[in-house]
Amino acid sequence: METRLVEYAIAVADELSFTRAAQRVYAAQSTVSAGVRALERELGTALFERDQRGVRITAAGEAVLPALRTLADAEARARTAADPRGELRGELRIGVFSSVSYLAIPRVIGAFHREHPLVDLRLRASSSGSAELADAVRRGRLDLSLYGLPAATAPDLAVHRLATTPYAVIVAADHPLASRAGLALGDLADERFVDAPVGFGNRDVLDAALSARGVVRDVRAEVTETNSIPVFVANGLGIALLPELLIPPSEGTVVVPLKERITWEFNVVTRASHGGATAALLEQLLAAY
């Protein structure tokens, strides 16, 4: 059974759309359609029903798909396993945050690439945050991803802790609060805020912590690139609360410790079973933190 055809069928099952499945596997829609039909002929049964209402998995498809996923996972592990000379090879799909340039991530991935040049690295950033990246790992679109939500929010994935860091306050250098040695949440009650959109791990963790304390914020600006938040703060559009690990060097701002301890977990998620290349990169990421 051709592995590529199995990959097409799994993508269609996950997306329930030949168009989205084709985008996912970087193939033309006609190629995916023809590939799925060829697989159905080989199996002697229809895996999907196709009509004007969309795509649905047949009863036979529901029965066969678990075995196809097992086959695909085994093939993926084989592709990324060490060859007889001990060299890792294959493809490794990595989910990253939209802003990682000031973290250790590019350095670690660059070192991995130099050490394992036969592994084809593919990086994907999400404009919707950690939840979308985790779902991509869950669906097999990614092998490994950064994750900014607590481990309890991904019980079906393996969550690997890189770091835990407290939140701090970012204010413009000329802000009246900039000279304070520390700030409590009560000191920020009348302030406007700049933050990431809902769905980003650092925003969701903070919102949950503030809600538990009965704190309501006025978020006036939402910025998808975390490293841009201090720039908006420096230009007077509000203040910010960010995990210290995510605060890049920035002119025109001051970072003040937050008196209440609110922490953010910097994690990596993988599926429970993963190949040698995934394990090797994970080991290097853990060592970096």
Side-chain angles (χ1 to χ4, degrees):
M1 187 176 297
E2 189 176 340
T3 303
R4 190 64 171 165
L5 304 186
V6 172
E7 183 181 354
Y8 292 164
I10 291 173
V12 174
D14 287 342
E15 304 293 343
L16 293 180
S17 164
F18 280 86
T19 300
R20 292 193 298 272
Q23 294 170 346
R24 168 173 158 176
V25 298
Y26 304 102
Q29 182 175 335
S30 58
T31 300
V32 173
S33 297
V36 169
R37 286 195 297 271
L39 181 61
E40 289 175 324
R41 287 195 297 272
E42 184 174 348
L43 294 173
T45 187
L47 302 178
F48 305 101
E49 293 179 355
R50 314 157 177 83
D51 57 32
Q52 292 180 341
R53 292 177 295 174
V55 178
R56 292 176 301 283
I57 304 174
T58 64
E62 293 284 5
V64 169
L65 277 165
L68 294 181
R69 292 184 189 277
T70 299
L71 178 64
D73 285 344
E75 177 64 23
R77 287 194 297 272
R79 286 199 309 268
T80 57
D83 67 12
R85 293 167 297 185
E87 294 180 312
L88 288 174
R89 59 179 64 243
E91 181 181 77
L92 184 58
R93 300 160 300 172
I94 307 165
V96 297
F97 299 152
S98 55
S99 300
V100 296
S101 59
Y102 52 98
L103 299 173
I105 304 303
R107 174 175 58 79
V108 174
I109 294 176
F112 179 89
H113 175 63
R114 290 189 294 274
E115 186 174 344
H116 305 290
L118 299 181
V119 177
D120 182 15
L121 298 179
R122 296 185 180 274
L123 275 65
R124 170 189 164 189
S126 169
S127 60
S128 299
S130 289
E132 180 183 310
L133 289 170
D135 188 59
V137 174
R138 192 176 291 112
R139 291 173 176 267
R141 300 174 185 172
L142 295 174
D143 300 300
L144 170 151
S145 179
L146 303 182
Y147 190 61
L149 290 168
T153 62
D156 53 341
L157 295 174
V159 182
H160 314 270
R161 180 78 56 82
L162 296 182
T164 300
T165 182
Y167 281 78
V169 187
I170 309 174
V171 297
D174 58 355
H175 193 285
L177 298 176
S179 60
R180 301 279 287 274
L183 290 168
L185 290 172
D187 299 324
L188 313 178
D190 297 326
E191 298 293 332
R192 296 172 299 178
F193 283 81
V194 181
D195 210 335
V198 172
F200 280 60
N202 55 289
R203 168 71 183 270
D204 290 354
V205 168
L206 180 61
D207 281 352
L210 296 180
S211 177
R213 292 168 168 80
V215 176
V216 178
R217 292 186 300 160
D218 180 9
V219 179
R220 295 292 184 92
E222 294 184 340
V223 183
T224 56
E225 293 191 4
T226 308
N227 60 354
S228 296
I229 290 178
V231 178
F232 283 77
V233 172
N235 284 281
L237 295 178
I239 68 170
L241 280 165
L242 280 180
E244 289 183 353
L245 185 65
L246 295 184
I247 301 176
S250 179
E251 294 184 1
T253 62
V254 173
V255 179
V256 183
L258 181 66
K259 291 183 178 179
E260 291 88 349
R261 182 167 176 78
I262 301 174
T263 59
W264 178 71
E265 297 176 6
F266 185 30
N267 298 313
V268 167
V269 291
T270 64
R271 292 186 295 283
S273 176
H274 47 261
T278 301
L281 177 57
L282 177 61
E283 182 180 354
Q284 290 188 220
L285 287 168
L286 292 169
Y289 286 90

